[in-house]
Amino acid sequence: MTGGAGNPKRLETLIERAEQNPKTASNHVDELSDFLRADRDDMRGGAAYALATVAEAGYPAVADATPALISALDDKSANVRGNSAAALSYIAREHPDRVRRGVDGLTRLLPEPDTGGHAVAALAWVANEYPGNVRTATDNIAGLLDAAQDPTRAMSAHALGSIAEEFPGDVRPYSQDMRQLLSDPNQTVQNNAAVALWGIAIEYPDDVSPAIDDLYDCVDSDADSLRKHATGALATVAENDSVAVGQQSETLVELLSDDFVPVRENASKALIYIAADRPSLVTPTSRAVRDLTELKQDPVARVDTDAIEFAIDRLETSSTVTQSESDPIENLDTTIGLADAETRIDGTDAPAGGQSASEDDQTTLRDTSRTNRSTVTESSASTRDNATSVDSRTETTTTDASHAESAKTGETTGSTRNTVSDAASTVPDESEAEDDPDETEVFASSQEKVYCPHCGESVAHYQRGSYCPHCGGELP
């Protein structure tokens, strides 16, 4: 429709039909697309408005107008550009593959006060499925994070969150902006900022660490998606900085019984990292052990049972050792069962409690949980206040090698708790050892220095097959 051709009255009829009965108007998408090429600005604007109205109603036929609407993004009329961007923002929800061809035109509209909001919404929906197509607009999108309109801030954070999942380095410069948005008065803005921080934390956890307290504030929200994404970000940061995240471990323990399953899953991942590095930070320990045990048996939750068992063992062992430190005499009486509780069987002081996991332990746990972390991160875009589609990708399972190593580590650590009494009860009296030459061969002299192959500590008295009083490891 060129050279001034077109019937204004016909267009007016189509506009009225779009407003009153968009389903019927959807049968005239091709005709409305033709009007986008009319000479008159008001007619082109009216056609774009009608198409946006039909698109907002969700009728799929309007997607056929996408090429004409993308061309209209460069129209000389701001009204035409704005309505075309609005139409594309609705179409992009279901057909991002079609709208991604208009990324450049939409990016050019971002600075326009009356059009930028629609443009960034279209880009956000495209970024859900094709972040690589939108990443070139990252800096332009970030310019709208402080927009006055709530929807514009929300969709800007939404777009950057999708980009951050695949290209965290592109969004990394805006970590501080996202942290500030966690306190935004609009809950959707907060949620999308948490998604972005979660994505950034995958590769750059140090950039997200300053937002730990703000993320903890978000877990008090009544919005499931915000709690999910905040705990996801905390769990990812915990892999790198378990001490900082562990300072508020009580909150994570409480979240193990959250009504929303993904929140429980993410809280457990964070606690696994903390238990590996600093189990003494996890409080209350008894509740953490109880709820982790229940979560492991939850048929709905997607968790790594081996990693949870390892964390439980770490927590229980740490709790036992801490008790030994607080009341060593009583603990030696009841746990080791010596007649003279003031004299340890190796003649040394009580071992320090609450130690961190060994380097091998930590490596095993990190490898196991990193696999789960990537799965959680893949599904993080599935809930932005129900703004995006659910990710159907299945959870990545831990390798058999990691499972075996976790189980092995758990057995070694748990031996302190389970076998110290047995070790003490099998140590013979020194006088008996002197009288029996066979016993003398297997029971080392107190003058002979023997070192535990597990912890390297000196063991003055030992019997082959017994356990080290320092670490609980089996002696050769």
Side-chain angles (χ1 to χ4, degrees):
M1 187 173 297
T2 60
N7 186 336
K9 291 185 178 180
R10 173 60 179 168
L11 177 59
E12 185 176 347
T13 298
L14 291 175
I15 292 173
E16 291 178 355
R17 190 169 296 173
E19 293 175 334
Q20 298 172 7
N21 192 342
K23 181 178 180 179
T24 302
S26 68
N27 296 325
H28 303 277
V29 167
D30 290 343
E31 190 175 357
L32 286 169
S33 297
D34 288 339
F35 274 110
L36 284 175
R37 297 191 294 271
D39 286 343
R40 288 171 50 178
D41 292 355
D42 60 336
M43 292 180 67
R44 297 196 307 277
Y49 167 77
L51 288 169
T53 303
V54 175
E56 184 179 14
Y59 292 100
V62 74
D64 293 337
T66 300
L69 289 166
I70 290 176
S71 297
L73 294 175
D74 294 321
D75 196 279
K76 64 179 181 179
S77 168
N79 185 39
V80 176
R81 296 195 301 271
N83 283 323
S84 296
L88 290 170
S89 71
Y90 297 124
I91 295 171
R93 295 188 183 193
E94 299 297 331
H95 303 282
D97 55 321
R98 295 193 180 190
V99 179
R100 64 174 170 161
R101 296 174 175 82
V103 166
D104 290 343
L106 291 165
T107 302
R108 287 193 293 270
L109 297 183
L110 291 176
E112 296 189 10
D114 298 328
T115 308
H118 296 304
V120 77
L123 290 170
W125 293 117
V126 173
N128 270 0
E129 299 296 330
Y130 305 100
N133 287 82
V134 183
R135 63 183 300 198
T136 56
T138 297
D139 294 339
N140 305 78
I141 294 171
L144 297 178
L145 290 174
D146 60 352
Q149 300 82 9
D150 290 353
T152 301
R153 295 196 310 280
M155 297 311 290
S156 298
H158 182 153
L160 294 179
S162 295
I163 295 171
E165 291 182 55
E166 298 292 334
F167 310 100
D170 291 8
V171 186
R172 181 187 183 188
Y174 305 104
S175 301
Q176 180 59 29
D177 299 271
M178 293 301 175
R179 177 188 176 186
Q180 293 176 354
L181 291 180
L182 292 177
S183 302
D184 193 276
N186 183 278
Q187 197 170 77
T188 304
V189 175
Q190 295 176 351
N191 179 72
N192 294 345
V195 172
L197 288 170
W198 188 354
I200 295 169
I202 296 172
E203 297 294 336
Y204 307 101
D206 289 341
D207 291 64
V208 182
S209 289
I212 288 176
D213 289 343
D214 305 276
L215 289 166
Y216 269 116
D217 289 340
C218 290
V219 301
D220 291 330
S221 171
D222 57 358
D224 289 349
S225 59
L226 179 53
R227 296 199 312 281
K228 168 189 172 181
H229 295 133
T231 52
L234 286 169
T236 305
V237 174
E239 180 180 7
N240 180 71
D241 193 352
S242 60
V243 174
V245 178
Q247 298 304 313
Q248 299 187 52
S249 63
E250 299 93 337
T251 300
L252 293 171
V253 173
E254 291 178 2
L255 291 172
L256 290 175
S257 56
D258 192 272
D259 292 335
F260 194 41
V261 174
V263 174
R264 301 202 295 271
E265 295 170 350
N266 291 339
S268 72
K269 290 178 175 64
L271 288 169
I272 287 170
Y273 288 124
I274 298 167
D277 292 340
R278 296 292 181 87
S280 60
L281 291 178
V282 179
T283 56
T285 305
S286 58
R287 179 175 176 181
V289 170
R290 180 196 69 192
D291 290 349
L292 283 171
T293 301
E294 293 179 357
L295 185 64
K296 183 182 66 172
Q297 300 168 349
D298 189 333
V300 179
R302 299 180 302 172
V303 295
D304 187 327
T305 56
D306 286 345
I308 287 183
E309 288 175 359
F310 172 77
I312 291 173
D313 192 78
R314 288 285 295 163
L315 294 173
E316 291 179 336
T317 302
S318 174
S319 177
T320 301
V321 175
T322 301
Q323 180 183 358
S324 174
E325 284 187 323
S326 62
D327 195 354
I329 302 302
E330 178 182 354
N331 189 63
L332 287 170
D333 249 334
T334 57
T335 304
I336 300 180
L338 295 178
D340 183 1
E342 295 183 359
T343 305
R344 291 184 52 81
I345 60 174
D346 60 354
T348 63
D349 295 331
Q355 297 177 346
S356 300
S358 68
E359 183 176 352
D360 290 340
D361 292 349
Q362 296 176 20
T363 302
T364 299
L365 183 63
R366 286 197 176 93
D367 288 344
T368 299
S369 299
R370 178 178 291 109
T371 304
N372 287 336
R373 183 210 62 203
S374 64
T375 301
V376 176
T377 304
E378 287 173 355
S379 63
S380 65
S382 64
T383 309
R384 292 192 181 90
D385 293 340
N386 298 322
T388 66
S389 60
V390 176
D391 194 323
S392 61
R393 282 171 284 188
T394 58
E395 179 174 287
T396 305
T397 57
T398 315
T399 63
D400 293 339
S402 295
H403 282 171
E405 185 63 23
S406 293
K408 177 181 178 183
T409 305
E411 291 170 3
T412 302
T413 310
S415 63
T416 302
R417 184 184 66 259
N418 298 328
T419 60
V420 171
S421 296
D422 296 337
S425 63
T426 58
V427 176
D429 184 78
E430 288 192 44
S431 59
E432 295 179 0
E434 292 174 356
D435 295 336
D436 188 339
D438 293 333
E439 286 293 327
T440 305
E441 291 180 1
V442 298
F443 190 68
S445 167
S446 61
Q447 303 301 318
E448 179 183 357
K449 287 190 176 180
V450 179
Y451 297 91
C452 173
H454 305 289
C455 66
E457 293 289 341
S458 173
V459 182
H461 296 250
Y462 83 102
Q463 181 181 15
R464 293 191 182 98
S466 62
Y467 297 85
C468 173
H470 299 284
C471 70
E474 185 173 0
L475 296 172

